[in-house]
């Protein structure tokens, strides 16, 4: 089984060594924050969701094949705004399991962090 990787972080300074995503022949996973953290929750979420879609497409999957998504919101009061965006973005024919919780990312400028798993 071949594993494909998306973006490694080398662990410089006080950062962990990580891979942003991996895919096998049957499953892909990715966990991201927005590359540009100057925007609000909607902007950061769209950046992440679109990057997730691009990654899944690059490994032979799609938005419709997402199995499960975990979301960490810096401010849980923004849950309704996230849900509105999510419902606009997700394919209604391929709705995955979704978990949304509050949590602070290591970087305080992250409004949201999203992990997604998809079938390949």
């Amino acid at each position: 089984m071949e594993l494909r990787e998306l973006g490694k972080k080398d662990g410089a300074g006080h950062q962990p060594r990580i891979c942003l995503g991996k895919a096998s022949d049957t499953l892909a996973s990715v966990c991201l924050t927005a590359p540009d953290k100057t925007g609000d929750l909607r902007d950061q979420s769209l950046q992440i969701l679109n990057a997730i879609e691009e990654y899944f497409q690059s490994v032979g999957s799609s938005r419709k094949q997402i199995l499960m998504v975990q979301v960490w919101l810096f401010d849980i009061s923004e849950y309704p705004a996230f849900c509105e965006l999510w419902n606009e973005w997700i394919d209604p024919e391929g709705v995955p399991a979704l978990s949304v919780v509050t949590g602070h990312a290591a970087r305080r400028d992250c409004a949201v962090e999203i992990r997604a798993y998809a079938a390949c």
Side-chain angles (χ1 to χ4, degrees), residues 9-102:
K9 300 288 183 176
D10 66 5
H14 297 287
Q15 300 298 313
R17 285 189 186 107
I18 61 171
C19 180
L20 300 175
K22 281 197 173 188
S24 71
D25 297 338
T26 59
L27 183 66
S29 172
V30 64
C31 187
L32 301 172
T33 59
D36 176 4
K37 295 173 180 57
T38 59
D40 62 8
L41 172 76
R42 183 176 183 85
D43 180 63
Q44 288 190 34
S45 296
L46 274 174
Q47 288 180 58
I48 297 166
L49 292 170
N50 291 333
I52 287 170
E53 181 173 31
E54 287 177 23
Y55 173 64
F56 286 159
Q57 287 176 346
S58 78
V59 296
S61 189
S62 71
R63 185 185 305 193
K64 198 172 191 172
Q65 292 173 272
I66 296 174
L67 303 169
M68 182 178 81
V69 176
Q70 298 167 301
V71 179
W72 295 269
L73 297 178
F74 180 81
D75 181 355
I76 198 66
S77 72
E78 295 192 280
Y79 176 74
F82 177 81
C83 289
E84 181 180 335
L85 169 68
W86 173 259
N87 289 340
E88 293 168 8
W89 183 84
I90 197 63
D91 186 320
E93 299 298 318
V95 177
L98 175 68
S99 173
V100 181
V101 298
T102 188

Coordinates of all heavy atoms in Angstrom, one line a residue, residues 9-102:
K9 N 5.6 19.6 7.9 CA 6.2 20.6 8.7 C 7.4 20.0 9.4 O 7.3 18.9 10.0 CB 5.2 21.2 9.8 CG 3.9 21.7 9.2 CD 4.2 23.1 8.5 CE 2.9 23.6 7.9 NZ 3.1 24.9 7.3
D10 N 8.5 20.7 9.4 CA 9.8 20.1 9.9 C 10.0 20.1 11.4 O 11.0 19.6 11.8 CB 11.0 20.7 9.1 CG 11.2 22.2 9.4 OD1 10.5 22.7 10.3 OD2 12.1 22.8 8.8
G11 N 9.2 20.8 12.1 CA 9.4 20.8 13.5 C 10.4 21.8 14.0 O 11.0 21.7 15.1
A12 N 10.7 22.9 13.2 CA 11.6 23.9 13.6 C 11.2 24.6 14.8 O 10.0 24.8 15.1 CB 11.8 24.9 12.4
G13 N 12.1 25.1 15.6 CA 11.8 25.8 16.8 C 11.1 24.9 17.8 O 11.5 23.8 18.1
H14 N 9.9 25.4 18.3 CA 9.1 24.6 19.3 C 7.9 24.0 18.6 O 6.9 23.8 19.3 CB 8.7 25.5 20.4 CG 9.9 26.0 21.2 ND1 10.7 25.2 22.0 CD2 10.5 27.2 21.2 CE1 11.6 25.9 22.6 NE2 11.6 27.2 22.1
Q15 N 8.0 23.7 17.3 CA 6.8 23.2 16.6 C 7.0 21.7 16.4 O 8.1 21.2 16.3 CB 6.7 23.8 15.2 CG 6.5 25.3 15.3 CD 5.2 25.7 16.0 OE1 4.2 25.1 15.7 NE2 5.3 26.7 16.9
P16 N 5.9 20.9 16.4 CA 6.0 19.5 16.2 C 6.2 19.2 14.7 O 5.9 19.9 13.8 CB 4.6 19.0 16.6 CG 3.7 20.1 16.3 CD 4.5 21.4 16.6
R17 N 6.8 18.0 14.5 CA 6.9 17.5 13.1 C 5.6 16.9 12.8 O 5.1 16.0 13.5 CB 8.0 16.4 13.0 CG 9.4 16.9 13.1 CD 10.4 15.8 12.8 NE 11.7 16.3 12.9 CZ 12.5 16.0 13.9 NH1 12.1 15.1 14.9 NH2 13.7 16.5 14.0
I18 N 5.0 17.3 11.7 CA 3.7 16.8 11.3 C 3.6 16.7 9.8 O 4.3 17.3 9.0 CB 2.5 17.7 11.8 CG1 2.6 19.1 11.2 CG2 2.5 17.7 13.3 CD1 1.4 19.9 11.5
C19 N 2.6 15.9 9.3 CA 2.2 15.9 7.9 C 0.8 16.4 7.9 O -0.1 15.9 8.7 CB 2.3 14.4 7.4 SG 1.8 14.2 5.7
L20 N 0.4 17.3 7.0 CA -0.9 17.9 7.0 C -2.0 16.9 6.5 O -3.1 17.1 6.9 CB -0.9 19.2 6.2 CG 0.1 20.3 6.7 CD1 0.1 21.4 5.7 CD2 -0.3 20.7 8.1
G21 N -1.6 16.0 5.7 CA -2.5 15.0 5.2 C -1.8 13.8 4.7 O -0.7 13.8 4.3
K22 N -2.6 12.7 4.7 CA -2.0 11.4 4.1 C -3.2 10.7 3.4 O -4.3 10.8 3.8 CB -1.5 10.5 5.2 CG -0.1 10.9 5.7 CD 0.6 9.7 6.4 CE 2.0 10.1 6.7 NZ 2.8 9.0 7.2
A23 N -2.8 9.9 2.4 CA -3.8 9.1 1.7 C -3.2 7.8 1.4 O -2.1 7.7 1.0 CB -4.2 9.8 0.4
S24 N -4.1 6.8 1.5 CA -3.8 5.4 1.0 C -4.6 5.1 -0.2 O -5.3 6.0 -0.7 CB -4.0 4.4 2.1 OG -5.4 4.3 2.3
D25 N -4.7 3.9 -0.6 CA -5.5 3.5 -1.8 C -7.0 3.7 -1.4 O -7.8 3.8 -2.3 CB -5.3 2.1 -2.2 CG -3.8 1.9 -2.7 OD1 -3.2 2.9 -3.1 OD2 -3.3 0.8 -2.7
T26 N -7.4 3.6 -0.1 CA -8.8 3.6 0.2 C -9.2 4.8 1.1 O -10.4 5.0 1.3 CB -9.1 2.3 1.0 OG1 -8.3 2.2 2.1 CG2 -8.9 1.1 0.1
L27 N -8.3 5.5 1.8 CA -8.7 6.5 2.8 C -7.7 7.7 2.7 O -6.5 7.5 2.5 CB -8.6 5.9 4.2 CG -9.1 6.8 5.3 CD1 -10.6 7.2 5.2 CD2 -8.8 6.2 6.6
A28 N -8.3 8.9 2.8 CA -7.4 10.1 2.9 C -7.9 10.9 4.1 O -9.0 10.9 4.5 CB -7.6 10.9 1.6
S29 N -6.9 11.6 4.7 CA -7.2 12.4 5.9 C -6.3 13.7 5.8 O -5.2 13.6 5.3 CB -6.8 11.6 7.1 OG -6.9 12.5 8.3
V30 N -6.9 14.8 6.2 CA -6.2 16.0 6.2 C -6.7 16.8 7.4 O -7.8 16.8 7.8 CB -6.4 16.8 4.8 CG1 -7.8 17.2 4.6 CG2 -5.5 18.0 4.7
C31 N -5.8 17.6 8.0 CA -6.1 18.5 9.1 C -5.4 19.8 8.9 O -4.2 19.9 8.7 CB -5.7 17.9 10.4 SG -6.2 18.8 11.8
L32 N -6.2 20.9 8.8 CA -5.7 22.2 8.3 C -6.2 23.4 9.1 O -7.3 23.3 9.6 CB -6.0 22.5 6.9 CG -5.5 21.4 5.8 CD1 -6.2 21.8 4.5 CD2 -4.0 21.4 5.8
T33 N -5.4 24.4 9.2 CA -5.9 25.7 9.5 C -5.7 26.6 8.3 O -5.1 26.2 7.3 CB -5.1 26.3 10.7 OG1 -3.7 26.4 10.3 CG2 -5.2 25.5 12.0
A34 N -6.3 27.8 8.3 CA -6.3 28.6 7.1 C -4.9 29.2 6.9 O -4.2 29.6 7.9 CB -7.2 29.8 7.3
P35 N -4.4 29.2 5.7 CA -3.1 29.8 5.4 C -3.0 31.3 5.7 O -2.0 31.8 6.2 CB -2.8 29.5 3.9 CG -4.0 28.8 3.4 CD -5.0 28.6 4.5
D36 N -4.1 32.0 5.4 CA -4.2 33.4 5.7 C -5.2 33.6 6.9 O -6.4 33.4 6.7 CB -4.7 34.2 4.5 CG -4.9 35.6 4.7 OD1 -4.6 36.1 5.8 OD2 -5.4 36.3 3.8
K37 N -4.6 33.9 8.0 CA -5.4 33.9 9.2 C -5.9 35.3 9.5 O -6.4 35.6 10.6 CB -4.6 33.4 10.4 CG -4.3 31.9 10.2 CD -3.4 31.4 11.2 CE -3.1 29.9 11.0 NZ -2.6 29.5 9.7
T38 N -5.9 36.3 8.6 CA -6.4 37.6 8.8 C -7.9 37.7 8.7 O -8.5 38.7 9.2 CB -5.7 38.6 7.9 OG1 -6.0 38.3 6.5 CG2 -4.2 38.7 8.1
G39 N -8.5 36.7 8.1 CA -10.0 36.8 7.9 C -10.8 36.3 9.0 O -10.2 35.8 10.0
D40 N -12.1 36.5 8.9 CA -13.0 36.0 10.0 C -13.2 34.5 9.9 O -12.6 33.8 9.0 CB -14.3 36.8 9.9 CG -15.1 36.6 8.6 OD1 -14.7 35.8 7.8 OD2 -16.1 37.4 8.4
L41 N -14.1 34.0 10.7 CA -14.4 32.6 10.7 C -14.9 32.1 9.3 O -14.4 31.0 8.8 CB -15.5 32.2 11.7 CG -16.1 30.8 11.6 CD1 -15.1 29.9 12.2 CD2 -17.4 30.7 12.2
R42 N -15.7 32.8 8.6 CA -16.2 32.4 7.3 C -15.1 32.3 6.3 O -14.9 31.3 5.6 CB -17.3 33.3 6.8 CG -17.9 32.9 5.5 CD -19.0 33.8 5.0 NE -19.6 33.3 3.8 CZ -20.5 32.4 3.7 NH1 -21.0 31.8 4.8 NH2 -20.9 32.0 2.5
D43 N -14.2 33.3 6.3 CA -13.1 33.4 5.4 C -12.1 32.2 5.6 O -11.7 31.5 4.7 CB -12.4 34.7 5.5 CG -11.2 34.8 4.5 OD1 -11.4 34.7 3.3 OD2 -10.1 34.9 5.0
Q44 N -11.8 32.0 6.9 CA -10.8 31.0 7.3 C -11.4 29.6 7.0 O -10.7 28.7 6.4 CB -10.4 31.1 8.7 CG -9.5 32.2 9.0 CD -8.9 32.2 10.4 OE1 -8.6 31.1 10.9 NE2 -8.6 33.4 11.0
S45 N -12.7 29.4 7.3 CA -13.3 28.1 7.0 C -13.4 27.8 5.5 O -13.1 26.7 5.1 CB -14.8 28.1 7.6 OG -14.8 28.3 9.0
L46 N -13.7 28.8 4.7 CA -13.7 28.6 3.2 C -12.3 28.2 2.7 O -12.2 27.4 1.8 CB -14.3 29.8 2.5 CG -15.8 29.9 2.4 CD1 -16.2 31.2 1.8 CD2 -16.3 28.7 1.6
Q47 N -11.3 28.9 3.2 CA -10.0 28.6 2.8 C -9.6 27.1 3.1 O -9.1 26.4 2.2 CB -8.9 29.4 3.5 CG -8.9 30.9 3.1 CD -7.8 31.6 4.0 OE1 -6.6 31.2 4.0 NE2 -8.2 32.6 4.7
I48 N -10.0 26.7 4.3 CA -9.7 25.3 4.7 C -10.5 24.3 3.9 O -10.0 23.3 3.3 CB -10.0 25.1 6.2 CG1 -9.0 26.0 7.0 CG2 -9.8 23.7 6.6 CD1 -9.4 26.2 8.4
L49 N -11.8 24.5 3.8 CA -12.7 23.6 3.0 C -12.3 23.5 1.6 O -12.3 22.4 1.0 CB -14.2 24.0 3.2 CG -14.7 23.9 4.6 CD1 -16.1 24.6 4.7 CD2 -14.8 22.4 5.0
N50 N -12.0 24.6 1.0 CA -11.5 24.5 -0.4 C -10.2 23.8 -0.6 O -10.0 23.1 -1.5 CB -11.5 25.9 -1.1 CG -12.9 26.5 -1.2 OD1 -13.9 25.8 -1.4 ND2 -13.0 27.8 -1.2
A51 N -9.3 24.0 0.4 CA -8.0 23.3 0.4 C -8.2 21.8 0.6 O -7.6 20.9 -0.1 CB -7.1 23.8 1.4
I52 N -9.2 21.4 1.5 CA -9.5 20.0 1.7 C -10.0 19.4 0.4 O -9.6 18.3 0.0 CB -10.5 19.9 2.8 CG1 -9.8 20.2 4.2 CG2 -11.2 18.5 2.8 CD1 -10.8 20.3 5.3
E53 N -10.9 20.1 -0.3 CA -11.5 19.6 -1.5 C -10.4 19.4 -2.6 O -10.3 18.4 -3.2 CB -12.5 20.5 -2.1 CG -13.2 20.0 -3.4 CD -14.3 20.9 -3.8 OE1 -14.4 22.1 -3.5 OE2 -15.2 20.3 -4.4
E54 N -9.5 20.4 -2.7 CA -8.4 20.2 -3.7 C -7.5 19.0 -3.4 O -7.1 18.3 -4.2 CB -7.5 21.5 -3.7 CG -8.2 22.7 -4.4 CD -7.4 23.9 -4.3 OE1 -6.1 23.9 -4.1 OE2 -8.0 25.0 -4.4
Y55 N -7.2 18.9 -2.1 CA -6.4 17.7 -1.7 C -7.1 16.4 -2.0 O -6.5 15.5 -2.6 CB -6.0 17.8 -0.2 CG -5.3 16.6 0.3 CD1 -4.0 16.2 -0.2 CD2 -5.9 15.7 1.2 CE1 -3.4 15.1 0.2 CE2 -5.2 14.5 1.6 CZ -4.0 14.2 1.1 OH -3.3 13.1 1.5
F56 N -8.3 16.3 -1.6 CA -9.0 15.1 -1.9 C -9.1 14.8 -3.4 O -9.0 13.6 -3.8 CB -10.4 15.1 -1.2 CG -10.4 14.9 0.3 CD1 -11.4 15.3 1.1 CD2 -9.3 14.3 0.9 CE1 -11.4 15.1 2.4 CE2 -9.3 14.1 2.3 CZ -10.3 14.5 3.1
Q57 N -9.4 15.8 -4.2 CA -9.4 15.6 -5.6 C -8.0 15.1 -6.1 O -8.0 14.3 -7.0 CB -9.8 16.9 -6.3 CG -11.3 17.2 -6.2 CD -11.7 18.5 -6.8 OE1 -10.8 19.3 -7.2 NE2 -13.0 18.7 -6.9
S58 N -7.0 15.6 -5.6 CA -5.6 15.2 -6.0 C -5.3 13.8 -5.7 O -4.4 13.2 -6.3 CB -4.5 16.1 -5.4 OG -4.3 15.8 -4.1
V59 N -6.0 13.2 -4.8 CA -5.8 11.8 -4.5 C -6.9 10.9 -4.9 O -7.0 9.7 -4.5 CB -5.5 11.5 -2.9 CG1 -4.2 12.3 -2.5 CG2 -6.7 12.0 -2.1
G60 N -7.8 11.4 -5.8 CA -8.8 10.6 -6.4 C -10.1 10.5 -5.6 O -10.9 9.6 -5.8
S61 N -10.3 11.4 -4.7 CA -11.5 11.5 -3.9 C -12.3 12.7 -4.3 O -12.0 13.4 -5.3 CB -11.2 11.4 -2.4 OG -12.4 11.2 -1.7
S62 N -13.3 13.1 -3.5 CA -14.1 14.3 -3.8 C -14.8 14.7 -2.5 O -14.9 13.9 -1.5 CB -15.1 14.0 -4.9 OG -16.1 13.2 -4.4
R63 N -15.4 15.8 -2.6 CA -16.3 16.4 -1.5 C -17.4 15.4 -1.2 O -17.8 15.2 0.0 CB -16.8 17.7 -1.9 CG -17.6 18.4 -0.9 CD -18.3 19.7 -1.5 NE -17.4 20.6 -2.1 CZ -17.7 21.8 -2.5 NH1 -18.9 22.3 -2.2 NH2 -16.8 22.6 -3.1
K64 N -17.9 14.7 -2.2 CA -19.0 13.8 -2.0 C -18.6 12.5 -1.3 O -19.5 11.8 -0.7 CB -19.6 13.4 -3.4 CG -21.0 12.8 -3.4 CD -21.5 12.7 -4.8 CE -22.9 12.4 -4.8 NZ -23.5 12.4 -6.1
Q65 N -17.3 12.2 -1.2 CA -16.8 11.0 -0.6 C -16.3 11.2 0.8 O -15.7 10.3 1.4 CB -15.7 10.3 -1.4 CG -16.3 9.8 -2.8 CD -15.2 9.3 -3.7 OE1 -14.7 10.1 -4.4 NE2 -14.9 8.1 -3.6
I66 N -16.5 12.4 1.4 CA -16.0 12.7 2.7 C -16.9 11.8 3.7 O -18.1 11.8 3.7 CB -16.2 14.2 3.1 CG1 -15.2 15.0 2.2 CG2 -15.8 14.4 4.5 CD1 -15.4 16.5 2.3
L67 N -16.2 11.2 4.6 CA -16.8 10.3 5.6 C -17.1 11.0 6.9 O -18.1 10.8 7.5 CB -15.9 9.1 5.9 CG -15.5 8.2 4.6 CD1 -14.4 7.3 5.0 CD2 -16.7 7.5 4.1
M68 N -16.1 11.8 7.4 CA -16.3 12.4 8.7 C -15.4 13.7 8.7 O -14.3 13.7 8.2 CB -15.7 11.4 9.8 CG -15.9 12.0 11.2 SD -15.3 10.8 12.4 CE -13.6 11.0 12.3
V69 N -16.0 14.7 9.4 CA -15.3 15.9 9.6 C -15.3 16.3 11.1 O -16.4 16.2 11.7 CB -15.9 17.0 8.7 CG1 -15.3 18.4 9.0 CG2 -15.9 16.7 7.3
Q70 N -14.2 16.8 11.6 CA -14.1 17.3 12.9 C -13.7 18.8 12.8 O -12.8 19.1 12.1 CB -13.0 16.6 13.7 CG -13.3 15.1 13.9 CD -12.1 14.3 14.4 OE1 -11.0 14.3 13.8 NE2 -12.2 13.7 15.6
V71 N -14.4 19.6 13.6 CA -14.2 21.1 13.5 C -13.9 21.6 14.9 O -14.7 21.2 15.8 CB -15.4 21.8 12.9 CG1 -15.2 23.3 12.8 CG2 -15.7 21.2 11.5
W72 N -12.9 22.4 15.1 CA -12.6 23.1 16.3 C -12.8 24.6 16.1 O -12.1 25.1 15.3 CB -11.2 22.8 16.8 CG -11.0 21.4 17.1 CD1 -11.1 20.8 18.4 CD2 -10.5 20.3 16.3 NE1 -10.8 19.4 18.3 CE2 -10.4 19.1 17.0 CE3 -10.2 20.2 14.9 CZ2 -10.0 17.9 16.5 CZ3 -9.8 19.0 14.4 CH2 -9.7 17.9 15.2
L73 N -13.7 25.2 16.8 CA -14.0 26.6 16.7 C -13.4 27.3 17.9 O -13.5 26.9 19.0 CB -15.5 26.9 16.7 CG -16.3 26.3 15.5 CD1 -17.8 26.7 15.7 CD2 -15.8 26.8 14.2
F74 N -12.6 28.4 17.6 CA -12.1 29.2 18.7 C -13.2 29.8 19.5 O -13.1 29.8 20.8 CB -11.2 30.3 18.1 CG -10.5 31.2 19.1 CD1 -9.4 30.8 19.8 CD2 -11.1 32.4 19.5 CE1 -8.8 31.6 20.7 CE2 -10.5 33.2 20.4 CZ -9.4 32.8 21.1
D75 N -14.2 30.2 18.9 CA -15.4 30.8 19.6 C -16.6 30.1 19.2 O -17.2 30.2 18.1 CB -15.5 32.3 19.2 CG -16.6 33.0 19.9 OD1 -17.4 32.4 20.6 OD2 -16.7 34.2 19.7
I76 N -17.1 29.3 20.2 CA -18.3 28.4 19.9 C -19.5 29.2 19.6 O -20.5 28.7 19.0 CB -18.5 27.4 21.0 CG1 -19.4 26.2 20.6 CG2 -19.1 28.1 22.3 CD1 -18.8 25.3 19.5
S77 N -19.6 30.5 20.0 CA -20.8 31.3 19.6 C -20.9 31.5 18.1 O -21.9 31.9 17.6 CB -20.7 32.6 20.3 OG -19.7 33.5 19.8
E78 N -19.8 31.2 17.4 CA -19.9 31.3 15.9 C -20.4 30.0 15.2 O -20.4 29.9 14.0 CB -18.5 31.6 15.4 CG -18.0 33.0 15.8 CD -16.8 33.5 15.1 OE1 -15.7 33.1 15.4 OE2 -17.0 34.3 14.1
Y79 N -20.8 29.0 16.1 CA -21.4 27.8 15.5 C -22.5 28.0 14.5 O -22.4 27.4 13.4 CB -21.9 26.9 16.7 CG -22.5 25.6 16.3 CD1 -21.8 24.6 15.8 CD2 -23.9 25.5 16.4 CE1 -22.3 23.4 15.4 CE2 -24.5 24.3 16.0 CZ -23.7 23.2 15.5 OH -24.3 22.1 15.1
P80 N -23.5 28.8 14.7 CA -24.5 29.0 13.7 C -23.9 29.5 12.4 O -24.3 29.1 11.3 CB -25.4 30.1 14.3 CG -25.3 29.9 15.8 CD -23.8 29.6 16.0
A81 N -22.9 30.4 12.4 CA -22.3 31.0 11.2 C -21.5 29.8 10.5 O -21.6 29.7 9.3 CB -21.4 32.1 11.5
F82 N -20.9 29.0 11.3 CA -20.2 27.9 10.6 C -21.2 26.9 10.0 O -20.9 26.5 8.8 CB -19.3 27.1 11.6 CG -18.6 25.9 11.0 CD1 -17.5 26.1 10.2 CD2 -19.2 24.6 11.0 CE1 -16.9 25.0 9.5 CE2 -18.6 23.6 10.4 CZ -17.5 23.8 9.6
C83 N -22.3 26.6 10.7 CA -23.3 25.7 10.1 C -23.8 26.2 8.8 O -24.0 25.5 7.9 CB -24.4 25.4 11.1 SG -23.9 24.4 12.5
E84 N -24.1 27.5 8.8 CA -24.6 28.1 7.5 C -23.6 27.9 6.4 O -24.0 27.5 5.3 CB -24.9 29.6 7.7 CG -25.5 30.3 6.5 CD -25.7 31.8 6.8 OE1 -25.9 32.2 7.9 OE2 -25.7 32.5 5.8
L85 N -22.4 28.2 6.6 CA -21.3 28.0 5.6 C -21.2 26.6 5.2 O -21.1 26.2 4.0 CB -20.0 28.6 6.1 CG -18.8 28.2 5.3 CD1 -18.8 28.9 3.9 CD2 -17.5 28.5 6.0
W86 N -21.2 25.7 6.2 CA -21.1 24.3 6.0 C -22.2 23.8 5.1 O -21.9 23.0 4.1 CB -21.1 23.5 7.3 CG -21.1 22.0 7.2 CD1 -22.2 21.2 7.3 CD2 -20.0 21.2 6.8 NE1 -21.9 19.9 7.1 CE2 -20.6 19.8 6.8 CE3 -18.7 21.4 6.6 CZ2 -19.8 18.7 6.5 CZ3 -17.9 20.2 6.3 CH2 -18.4 19.0 6.3
N87 N -23.4 24.2 5.4 CA -24.5 23.7 4.6 C -24.5 24.2 3.1 O -25.0 23.5 2.2 CB -25.9 24.1 5.3 CG -26.1 23.3 6.5 OD1 -25.5 22.2 6.7 ND2 -26.9 23.8 7.4
E88 N -23.9 25.4 2.9 CA -23.7 25.9 1.6 C -22.6 25.1 0.8 O -22.7 24.9 -0.4 CB -23.3 27.3 1.6 CG -24.3 28.3 2.1 CD -23.8 29.7 2.4 OE1 -22.6 30.0 2.0 OE2 -24.5 30.5 2.9
W89 N -21.6 24.7 1.6 CA -20.4 24.1 0.9 C -20.5 22.6 0.7 O -20.1 22.1 -0.3 CB -19.2 24.3 1.8 CG -17.9 23.8 1.2 CD1 -17.1 24.5 0.3 CD2 -17.3 22.5 1.5 NE1 -16.0 23.7 0.0 CE2 -16.1 22.5 0.7 CE3 -17.6 21.5 2.3 CZ2 -15.2 21.4 0.7 CZ3 -16.7 20.3 2.3 CH2 -15.6 20.3 1.5
I90 N -21.1 21.8 1.6 CA -21.1 20.4 1.5 C -22.1 19.9 0.5 O -23.1 20.5 0.2 CB -21.4 19.7 2.9 CG1 -21.1 18.3 2.9 CG2 -22.9 19.9 3.3 CD1 -19.6 18.0 2.8
D91 N -21.7 18.8 -0.2 CA -22.6 18.2 -1.2 C -23.8 17.6 -0.5 O -23.6 16.7 0.3 CB -21.8 17.2 -2.0 CG -22.5 16.6 -3.2 OD1 -23.7 16.4 -3.1 OD2 -21.9 16.4 -4.2
P92 N -25.0 18.0 -0.8 CA -26.2 17.4 -0.2 C -26.3 15.9 -0.4 O -27.1 15.3 0.3 CB -27.3 18.3 -0.7 CG -26.8 19.0 -1.9 CD -25.3 19.1 -1.8
E93 N -25.7 15.4 -1.5 CA -25.8 14.0 -1.8 C -24.7 13.2 -1.1 O -24.7 12.0 -1.2 CB -25.6 13.8 -3.3 CG -26.7 14.5 -4.1 CD -28.1 14.0 -3.8 OE1 -28.3 12.7 -3.7 OE2 -29.0 14.8 -3.7
G94 N -23.8 13.9 -0.4 CA -22.7 13.2 0.3 C -22.4 13.8 1.6 O -21.3 14.1 1.9
V95 N -23.4 13.9 2.5 CA -23.3 14.5 3.8 C -22.5 13.6 4.7 O -23.0 12.4 4.9 CB -24.6 14.9 4.3 CG1 -24.5 15.5 5.7 CG2 -25.3 15.9 3.4
P96 N -21.4 14.0 5.3 CA -20.7 13.1 6.2 C -21.1 13.3 7.7 O -21.8 14.2 8.0 CB -19.2 13.6 6.0 CG -19.4 15.1 5.8 CD -20.7 15.2 4.9
A97 N -20.5 12.5 8.5 CA -20.6 12.8 10.0 C -19.9 14.0 10.3 O -18.9 14.3 9.6 CB -20.1 11.6 10.8
L98 N -20.4 14.8 11.2 CA -19.8 16.1 11.6 C -19.7 16.3 13.1 O -20.7 16.1 13.7 CB -20.5 17.3 10.9 CG -20.1 18.7 11.3 CD1 -18.7 19.0 10.7 CD2 -21.1 19.7 10.8
S99 N -18.6 16.7 13.6 CA -18.4 17.0 15.0 C -17.8 18.4 15.1 O -16.8 18.7 14.5 CB -17.5 16.0 15.6 OG -17.2 16.3 17.0
V100 N -18.5 19.3 15.8 CA -18.0 20.6 16.0 C -17.9 20.9 17.5 O -18.9 20.8 18.2 CB -19.0 21.7 15.4 CG1 -18.5 23.1 15.6 CG2 -19.2 21.4 13.9
V101 N -16.7 21.3 17.9 CA -16.5 21.6 19.3 C -15.7 22.9 19.5 O -15.2 23.4 18.5 CB -15.7 20.4 20.0 CG1 -16.5 19.1 20.0 CG2 -14.4 20.2 19.4
T102 N -15.6 23.4 20.7 CA -14.8 24.6 20.9 C -13.4 24.1 21.3 O -13.3 23.1 22.0 CB -15.4 25.5 21.9 OG1 -14.7 26.7 22.0 CG2 -15.4 24.9 23.3

